[in-house]
Amino acid sequence: MSSRQSSMLGSSQAIRESSISVVACVLIVALGPIQFGFTSGYSSPTQAAIVSDLGLSVSEYSWFGSLSNVGAMVGAIASGQISEYMGRKGSLMIASIPNIIGWLAISFAKDFSFLYMGRLLEGFGVGIISYTVPVYIAEISPQNMRGSLGSVNQLSVTIGILLAYLLGLFVEWRILAVLGILPCTILIPGLFFIPESPRWLAKMGMTEEFETSLQVLRGFDTDISFEVNEIKRAVASSSRRTTIRFPELKQRRYWFPLMVGIGLLILQQLSGINGVLFYSSTIFEDAGVTSSNAATVGVGVVQVIATGVTTWLVDRAGRRLLLIISSAGMTVSLLLVAVSFYVTDSVSDSSSLYNIFSILSVVGVVAMVVTFSLGIGAIPWIIMSEILPVNIKGLAGSIATLANWLFSWVVTMTANLLLTWSTGGTFTIYMLVSAVTVVFVSLYVPETKGRTLEEIQRSFR
């Protein structure tokens, strides 16, 4: 055994059993999306205190909230190339550093300049994390567990959001920013105890390390020869032409998975989830819920529970079925919210009809969050990480992640404008997008449950 092999084996002593090894690796990298969620949730409970302490206008604080999306777009552009050249572990290590610096900048901020700088740095790190973690999980997971383990990515995001909401009720905003350092501070040393992605090692020609990594992940008593040969064949096939020319993207093996991956991630954002969550506290207030903070935490709890159910279901029911149920459920929920607002806008505040439809709008929002979490929230990231061919995964993954963050920013920035124009009209637009998603999934999205990554990619040829 070579010294490199023995060092890899030595660093993985704590995770020897097959499923235990993979689950341990996933739990460590899940600290990244927890950081992602904490960043997303931070601006909600801290707005009043930051505006008051630093004398910011509402407009200046709105920029603070949206700058994480801008930073994430830059991080998304870089994520594929960093992940290809530095490896999945190296990429997460790099992403952790700007996150830690960003939280420190916010915690010591005396004016908006440090706030903005910190938010941009956090966003940059989150942009890299949002691509790298689902790809790493897909590449290390056995085919029968890949969906469930891949869903841990979105589950961790929702846990991060909920933690920010909950802790924000009890600690002031500077302390909350310091607490934001913890996920990445724990992630960095944790990365030293998990193996690199075997598929990345195989692609880089590191044969010994590749086989050792796979053996650690599958358990030392497991015969990995079939999986080794599958990965080697896939890598050899994709390595015949390492540079893809633009005309070659017209081949179905490239354009089809690109279209599916990017389409799902764009439709995920255009469904308006960020706009709905942004407006949920106002909807709850209109329905007579006295504490908007408690309502926001309640929505966070619902998201975590529903995403946890997805983690259990995705390898049993399949990706396609859950996506169709999720997007159809969102269509019905958003229709209910839209109709409720059309009615409440046209009747007197004191009428019983107004009270009934105000409650129905709350029911619709909660149902929308539940149905989003059951499929559209987690599965587009799983499918993106499964279907992109290995020789264009870095570039294509960057494009898909960038598209997701760009449309997330668009929805976040336009939600207020649209809601001022027409609340019912806004939810009607989101409802139509969800209906389009049902059609898109039905026509184009393949079922990937129970298939190896190599089998999935061969099916596009």
Side-chain angles (χ1 to χ4, degrees):
M1 184 183 292
S2 72
S3 59
R4 285 186 298 183
Q5 274 186 297
S6 60
S7 65
M8 283 193 68
L9 293 172
S11 67
S12 307
Q13 290 295 316
I15 47 176
R16 292 263 175 169
E17 297 300 324
S18 177
S19 60
I20 296 175
S21 296
V22 175
V23 170
C25 293
V26 170
L27 290 177
I28 289 171
V29 298
L31 289 163
I34 287 175
Q35 175 74 85
F36 174 174
F38 202 89
T39 300
S40 300
Y42 178 81
S43 58
S44 179
T46 57
Q47 178 171 351
I50 291 177
V51 167
S52 173
D53 289 357
L54 301 184
L56 302 183
S57 66
V58 173
S59 173
E60 286 172 331
Y61 191 82
S62 295
W63 271 106
F64 169 72
S66 65
L67 278 175
S68 62
N69 281 2
V70 177
M73 283 187 258
V74 178
I77 293 169
S79 62
Q81 294 307 304
I82 293 174
S83 186
E84 288 302 299
Y85 287 106
M86 301 296 295
R88 313 319 187 202
K89 288 172 56 179
S91 181
L92 290 174
M93 193 86 71
I94 289 169
S96 299
I97 296 168
N99 266 298
I100 291 171
I101 296 172
W103 283 117
L104 287 173
I106 290 172
S107 65
F108 289 107
K110 300 294 183 186
D111 56 28
F112 69 85
S113 60
F114 263 62
L115 276 182
Y116 288 1
M117 181 183 73
R119 197 69 170 166
L120 277 169
L121 286 169
E122 284 172 16
F124 178 78
V126 162
I128 297 172
I129 286 168
S130 63
Y131 166 76
T132 307
V133 170
V135 168
Y136 177 80
I137 292 173
E139 290 181 343
I140 68 169
S141 300
Q143 64 196 61
N144 63 322
M145 298 173 64
R146 197 175 58 239
S148 296
L149 293 175
S151 299
V152 171
N153 177 59
Q154 182 65 19
L155 178 63
S156 301
V157 173
T158 61
I159 289 170
I161 293 171
L162 180 59
L163 284 173
Y165 288 166
L166 276 174
L167 292 171
L169 296 176
F170 302 106
V171 301
E172 61 118 5
W173 64 272
R174 292 186 190 275
I175 301 297
L176 192 62
V178 172
L179 293 174
I181 296 169
L182 291 177
C184 281
T185 305
I186 300 168
L187 175 62
I188 290 174
L191 290 170
F192 288 101
F193 294 94
I194 64 175
E196 181 55 89
S197 159
R199 286 174 171 85
W200 180 80
L201 292 169
K203 184 186 174 187
M204 300 304 288
M206 302 179 188
T207 306
E208 289 184 4
E209 292 91 335
F210 147 57
E211 293 187 22
T212 304
S213 171
L214 192 62
Q215 192 73 72
V216 169
L217 288 164
R218 300 293 178 261
F220 288 91
D221 296 327
T222 304
D223 181 4
I224 61 169
S225 56
F226 177 77
E227 193 171 0
V228 165
N229 290 331
E230 276 272 283
I231 295 171
K232 282 181 176 178
R233 271 201 304 272
V235 169
S237 173
S238 65
S239 296
R240 288 176 196 145
R241 176 66 61 79
T242 54
T243 304
I244 299 300
R245 295 169 185 166
F246 185 75
E248 290 180 282
L249 291 177
K250 296 177 183 177
Q251 297 176 23
R252 188 178 187 276
R253 63 182 293 193
Y254 295 127
W255 71 258
F256 187 81
L258 261 173
M259 181 268 290
V260 171
I262 293 172
L264 279 176
L265 287 172
I266 289 174
L267 288 168
Q268 179 197 61
Q269 293 301 329
L270 288 180
S271 68
I273 185 64
N274 287 331
V276 171
L277 291 175
F278 174 82
Y279 200 60
S280 61
S281 60
T282 305
I283 295 171
F284 290 135
E285 286 173 11
D286 290 345
V289 177
T290 53
S291 173
S292 60
N293 284 335
T296 303
V297 171
V299 169
V301 171
V302 167
Q303 269 193 296
V304 171
I305 293 170
T307 309
V309 172
T310 305
T311 302
W312 180 75
L313 277 177
V314 70
D315 277 323
R316 293 169 173 81
R319 283 59 150 165
R320 265 175 60 85
L321 179 61
L322 282 179
L323 281 173
I324 291 169
I325 291 172
S326 173
S327 48
M330 287 171 66
T331 304
V332 174
S333 303
L334 287 165
L335 177 62
L336 177 61
V337 177
V339 169
S340 298
F341 274 110
Y342 281 129
V343 172
T344 54
D345 287 345
S346 59
V347 300
S348 167
D349 293 7
S350 58
S351 71
S352 59
L353 208 58
Y354 182 91
N355 293 330
I356 291 167
F357 278 93
S358 292
I359 293 169
L360 285 177
S361 68
V362 173
V363 172
V365 168
V366 173
M368 190 267 188
V369 171
V370 170
T371 50
F372 173 86
S373 302
L374 282 175
I376 295 294
I379 294 176
W381 290 107
I382 296 172
I383 289 180
M384 181 275 289
S385 66
E386 290 176 327
I387 67 174
L388 295 178
V390 67
N391 54 332
I392 64 164
K393 184 172 276 188
L395 176 60
S398 287
I399 294 170
T401 308
L402 172 62
N404 183 267
W405 281 108
L406 174 62
F407 282 92
S408 170
W409 179 75
V410 168
V411 169
T412 303
M413 293 298 285
T414 58
N416 260 337
L417 181 65
L418 286 171
L419 290 164
T420 303
W421 160 68
S422 168
T423 310
T426 302
F427 286 102
T428 301
I429 292 170
Y430 295 156
M431 181 268 293
L432 291 172
V433 173
S434 295
V436 169
T437 306
V438 177
V439 177
F440 181 84
V441 173
S442 301
L443 292 177
Y444 300 116
V445 177
E447 181 54 74
T448 58
K449 181 186 77 167
R451 302 162 74 190
T452 67
L453 297 182
E454 291 69 35
E455 286 171 344
I456 295 165
Q457 287 151 25
R458 276 200 301 273
S459 69
F460 297 126
R461 293 180 184 175

